[in-house]
Amino acid sequence: MLPASAKAPHKQPHKQSISIGRGTRKRDEDSGTEVGEGTDEWAQSKATVRPPDQLELTDTELKEEFTRILTANNPHAPQNIVRYSFKEGTYKPIGFVNQLAVHYTQVGNLIPKDSDEGRRQHYRDELVAGSQESVKVISETGNLEEDEEPKELETEPGSQTDVPAAGAAEKVTEEELMTPKQPKERKLTNQFNFSERASQTYNNPVRDRECQTEPPPRTNFSATANQWEIYDAYVEELEKQEKTKEKEKAKTPVAKKSGKMAMRKLTSMESQTDDLIKLSQAAKIMERMVNQNTYDDIAQDFKYYDDAADEYRDQVGTLLPLWKFQNDKAKRLSVTALCWNPKYRDLFAVGYGSYDFMKQSRGMLLLYSLKNPSFPEYMFSSNSGVMCLDIHVDHPYLVAVGHYDGNVAIYNLKKPHSQPSFCSSAKSGKHSDPVWQVKWQKDDMDQNLNFFSVSSDGRIVSWTLVKRKLVHVDVIKLKVEGNTTEVPEGLQLHPVGCGTAFDFHKEIDYMFLVGTEEGKIYKCSKSYSSQFLDTYDAHNMSVDTVSWNPYHTKVFMSCSSDWTVKIWDHTIKTPMFIYDLNSAVGDVAWAPYSSTVFAAVTTDGKAHIFDLAINKYEAICIQPVAARKNRLTHVQFNLIHPIIIVGDDRGHIISLKLSPNLRKMPKEKKGQEVQKGPAVEIAKLDKLLNLVREVKIKI
Amino acid sequence: MTDVEETLKRIQSHKGVIGTMVVNAEGIPIRTTLDNSTTVQYAGLLHHLTMKAKSTVRDIDPQNDLTFLRIRSKKHEIMVAPDKEYLLIVIQNPCE
């Protein structure tokens, strides 16, 4: 206080000293009250007051900032205590020094509240509190304005307890003896400047705000998750991947364009006839099923019926008629060729034409399946009659056909046009007479397809399919041995032999037999074009069929319109067996399951089955198959089923089942295993041949 | 296209066939030779049955698939040939 007034006159004007003094005093007395006089003096008194011994600092030094940091470090704690370490033998500084500073300690003890001592203490405290209160009430009335410290806290409780204090004192005295009084529960409040004040914040008015969006469109979706649905999805995925791979491989811009064009065309076409194309497979199956229902008994017979009567008939068998195949379009044509498909054992091909020289019309090629007897699977028609056909062994969709006009053609079953895929023509070396037989050969060295044809014009021609064209090579020209007749002009005519049938050897590739119209059979080789290996004087009339035995490599068979069937050994010039069938023989065929069984059909409508192992001289089955008027033209054995198909000249094909007697296998002797296989068959036939040969030699 | 048409015609004219119908994947008949009410009835019922049969076959072996379904009853035989998108149903009276 004193130095302030002394320093003031140096810096401030005169007035200041008085006001300052007043100001300080006023500050002392002031506790919230306002003095309204002398605003000038108030303004001035706000100037800073310096104590006389204040440090004088320059401005820069004043502005210098001193940072004060509050840390938990004890300023009195030592910072570098060092201890002797016996382990290392040196003094080492201790990393961490205890920063704990104890300001005040008091040692005390705890007594449980409920114990005797605890209760006694509590009681004593109560007593003291009660007497103190009564003392306060009396002394406080006169002590209002003495202390500096606000006595509000004390006055309040003091005033509050004014009235009840007296009562409390009484109470205390009353309750002394009974129980220690519970002190009034008081809020634990700040002793210095606690004031209880409540306030309420402004509550904003609540407002609802809503917004509604349009619900997204919903559809119901249901599906099943099965094992097969999952499998399908995987398969689709795989296909897609493969497709993309293929596309990557075959990437050329031109190809892409053409592909797109093709795609567009396809889609426009498909959209028109979308519905029913997809049904083709189902429709096919359905047709077969309907047929099966209609011809149910036949189907059952085909599969399961075996003539039980054969047990009692010693050496004779029967043929059970099964399905009949006929088509309106081929009604007046004769069956000119029959061939089973080597791969699909229920499919067979039928060629239609005419044997009548005068009545030549169109021809047809139909393929039937045993599963559907009412309608052919494939149908082709041609201008000229079909005389012969053959199905390729390795490519069962290729059918070679020979026509009456001398042309040959190849039909591709995969492309069901009515037109053949390849055809010969007059330019490309067709025959000048009807082609009587065609046969596929093995592919030549360039992997080209190759087949042979024989015709009445005396040529045996080898046709090769080179780059989509048929190229022909004359293999042999058949000549008639004998005198050449001289015509007056001096020309020499070489009569040409007419080939009517041929067959290739099963094992010896180049060797084949040709039957001619004169009744001779020539054994020829593919390599010799002018000379024959051998000649057999076989028949008196034209040879209709020659056929090698499927098992025995030396034996072949021939049939002719001279009513006979002859079996030969190609090393011997005379036939081994001769059979007279009382009628012109149309066709003869070996059975595929036995070397001694064969079938022959005649023009009087009968089918003859022979089994040389059972009966060397007679047929074991002679059965009229068609009506008397119909002449049977061809016969073929099925490769696995025990049925034969027979074609007649009215365009009908009849299938017949062979009874067990006709299919006899050699009986096994007790203890011996049944030997099956070609060797057995060959041996069987050999035995027979030897018998015959012996007989001949004897004679 | 015409091949299928011809085949269907032939089936219809075959001995003993009472009626044929083509049903699409949802069980709605597309083509029929019978009257409307019968067709709708057959289509609906057989569609369910075919789905069930197909599901059964495929559950047993997912690589397998149903090719044909035949129901023989006292009076006649119902044959169903399922396809990817269609069903071909034929009712025949097998001659016995």
Side-chain angles (χ1 to χ4, degrees), chain A residues 663-683:
Chain A
R663 305 181 250 138
K664 258 194 186 164
M665 293 293 137
K667 274 188 186 168
E668 60 265 29
K669 294 179 187 170
K670 281 185 189 177
Q672 273 187 355
E673 281 180 13
V674 177
Q675 285 173 331
K676 290 194 180 166
V680 179
E681 304 290 336
I682 295 173

Side-chain angles (χ1 to χ4, degrees), chain A residues 28-31 136 139-155:
Chain A
D28 288 339
E29 289 175 4
D30 216 12
S31 58
K136 267 190 199 170
S139 61
E140 255 174 312
T141 46
N143 292 341
L144 271 176
E145 286 188 7
E146 266 196 8
D147 298 332
E148 271 193 25
E149 295 166 5
K151 282 183 193 170
E152 288 170 2
L153 192 65
E154 285 183 26
T155 49

Side-chain angles (χ1 to χ4, degrees), chain B residues 48-65:
Chain B
H48 284 308
L49 185 65
T50 313
M51 286 300 123
K52 191 74 185 172
K54 188 171 188 174
S55 182
T56 309
V57 167
R58 297 210 76 189
D59 269 344
I60 293 169
D61 178 10
Q63 291 181 328
N64 206 353
D65 199 5

Side-chain angles (χ1 to χ4, degrees), chain A residues 45 58 76 83 91 100 153 278 446 471 516 523 577 631:
Chain A
S45 72
T58 59
H76 299 296
R83 282 246 167 87
Y91 283 97
L100 188 68
L153 192 65
K278 298 177 188 176
D446 297 327
V471 174
T516 61
K523 186 165 71 175
F577 298 95
R631 286 179 254 155

